[in-house]
Amino acid sequence: MNNSQMLKGILSGVVLHVIAEGPIYGYELVTRLRKLGFTDITGGTVYPIVQKMEKAGQLTSKQLPSPDGPNRKYLFVSPAGEAFLAEFDQEWTALTSIVNNIINVTVITTTSGGIHYGKSKRCIYFKNQSID
């Protein structure tokens, strides 16, 4: 399955979470995302997201000395970015809960014609469009 469409909706939140761990520069951000499991991510995907978040005021940046050569542009989460993260976390928690409930549902047809959707002790009963 190609997960690029799913990533579009969550990548801003993921990028902000990584930056919130501490100041980070662009290439280091891409490398960190790869180490966290986004193995196919490229700078061509991450850098436009960073630019968009900077324009939205969710990120700030500052040139800082690098031990390996010229100064690097380090990224920081702004107060607006922190507010975005709080909203992202709430929406992500709600969405993953809904999706997990759907994925983990077992369908059981009863002899009375009703259908039970449920797992373990939780059961929702559908018959004649009513939900118990």
Side-chain angles (χ1 to χ4, degrees):
M1 178 174 141
N2 182 349
N3 63 9
S4 63
Q5 288 299 314
M6 282 195 275
L7 279 178
K8 279 186 179 182
I10 64 165
L11 211 46
S12 293
V14 170
V15 165
L16 273 174
H17 266 288
V18 172
I19 296 169
E21 293 174 1
I24 193 168
Y25 60 93
Y27 180 76
E28 184 182 24
L29 174 60
V30 173
T31 302
R32 179 86 173 111
L33 288 167
R34 287 181 183 151
K35 286 180 182 176
L36 290 169
F38 294 93
T39 54
D40 295 334
I41 201 131
T42 65
T45 300
V46 175
Y47 299 140
I49 291 169
V50 167
Q51 288 175 333
K52 181 180 175 184
M53 290 190 294
E54 278 188 291
K55 285 182 183 176
Q58 297 165 340
L59 291 177
T60 59
S61 61
K62 184 177 182 181
Q63 293 283 335
L64 295 173
S66 166
D68 300 326
N71 289 350
R72 291 185 175 144
K73 180 180 173 181
Y74 280 82
L75 302 165
F76 302 84
V77 177
S78 69
E82 290 173 3
F84 176 89
L85 271 179
E87 185 177 333
F88 173 83
D89 289 352
Q90 287 178 337
E91 291 176 8
W92 178 253
T93 300
L95 178 62
T96 56
S97 176
I98 291 166
V99 171
N100 285 333
N101 282 337
I102 291 168
I103 289 171
N104 294 317
V105 164
T106 304
V107 179
I108 304 165
T109 305
T110 65
T111 55
S112 62
I115 300 175
H116 289 271
Y117 293 85
K119 57 183 181 182
S120 63
K121 296 178 183 176
R122 183 181 147 268
C123 191
I124 304 170
Y125 181 73
F126 290 89
K127 184 176 181 181
N128 299 328
Q129 305 297 321
S130 66
I131 301 175
D132 297 317

